[in-house]
Amino acid sequence: MKVKAQPNSNPRRIALVLQGGGALGAYQAGVYQAMHEHELTPDWIVGTSIGAINAAIIAGNPGAIRLDRLKEFWHTVSSQDMVDMAKVPDTTRQFSTWLSTVSVMWKGVPGFFAPRFPNLFAAGMPVPSEAASFYDTSSLAGTLEKLVDFEYLNAPGGIRLTVNAMKVTDGKLASFDSRLHGLNVHHIMASGALPPGFPPVRIDGDLYWDGGLYSNTPLETVLDDEPRNDTLCFMVDLWNGEGPEPHTLDQVQTRQKDVMYASRSQRHIENYLRMHNLRRIVRAMHEKLPPALHDEAELRDFASVGCDTTMHIVRLAYAGRDWNMASKDINFSKGSTEWRWEQGYRDASRAIERDAWSIAVPDHSGVIVHELELDAKTADRRTRQK
């Protein structure tokens, strides 16, 4: 029997932050399944790249069918393994996974992307900007139109959705928010338009690439949101900024990609804490002013800067090493996506049942980060992923 987690005394906004990571995004789907079963429905989801796709499917469907739509997406993009991954040794699983990633590079992923043939771009020839890529993602548009009800997503009262993309011409981050814009399939695809594999997406005359090029973990979108609210934020990390010294070409490429896309959440949290402490001081100073001064225009503005909110961040990190394969984010083999989903579900279930955010914290605490330690089973299997 699942135990419903009870957020602490004051009503809190529940946020879910999903970064980019291609095929690793199956882990995010498992995290959402655990939240769904524990009745922790997000009020707000912020996503980048594959995180934007998962987020749109969740926010763009009624609660009763969200999980089914997520499963349909991952079933669509997963390729069948050549062997029963549960019945073969680890070396065979590794070889099968390598063949699967080679197949993706040559054939693409059904319902997601396909190679361009012929491809003048690959030959170094000029092409229209929307075709400047190795792969064509038009099939993803069809998949999203099928699995996401954009009318439902944009209707008042639902889950707020924010997806991040980077404007090609100036390198600035753009946040497309369902509360401010009418989101459509182009906003989701722009968030996952990672060059040179995928083409940029044009929105209102401007071209956009994957938001992960600017910041792959959109935690800062939640930290910077106004007005301030007490928030319980589930942050899902798919890349590991820490790792061993590499010795082979594949290990070097893997380490490079991990470091490039790993979360910079600690830096964002430290910056937020400094600003939070300043806001708290401003609030305390305003409260000490004589009541007669509170109505003065300048001091009313002064008061609006202050805040005294608390944010609990539950960090859930994908622990898979994937044999130090630099191509792990394009490993869409069925065994791999199922393993990642299972790990996300297990990790999130453990975090929710632990319910650490319900423990009393000191007054004026700005951010409390809850890290999940690896359980014995995950630690034992982390080097043997399919």
Side-chain angles (χ1 to χ4, degrees), residues 32 36 41-43 45 52-74 142-161 178 183 188:
Y32 172 73
H36 176 80
T41 302
D43 301 295
I45 310 180
I53 294 174
N54 280 330
I57 294 172
I58 295 168
N61 287 287
I65 61 172
R66 284 174 188 150
L67 202 53
D68 290 337
R69 290 289 186 265
L70 267 183
K71 290 178 179 178
E72 185 175 352
F73 172 77
W74 285 99
T143 300
L144 290 171
E145 293 286 6
K146 176 184 176 183
L147 297 180
V148 180
D149 183 341
F150 284 96
E151 184 177 351
Y152 179 88
L153 188 155
N154 291 308
I159 295 175
R160 177 185 178 187
L161 174 63
S178 61
L183 298 190
I188 312 306

Side-chain angles (χ1 to χ4, degrees), residues 79-95:
S79 58
Q80 193 64 43
D81 295 299
M82 294 180 297
V83 296
D84 185 343
M85 300 286 265
K87 297 181 179 179
V88 295
D90 193 59
T91 53
T92 304
R93 288 196 293 269
Q94 185 175 358
F95 181 68

Side-chain angles (χ1 to χ4, degrees), residues 105-127:
M105 293 174 68
W106 280 100
K107 299 179 181 179
V109 174
F112 201 155
F113 60 91
R116 293 184 185 276
F117 289 122
N119 194 336
L120 297 178
F121 171 79
M125 302 293 288
V127 297

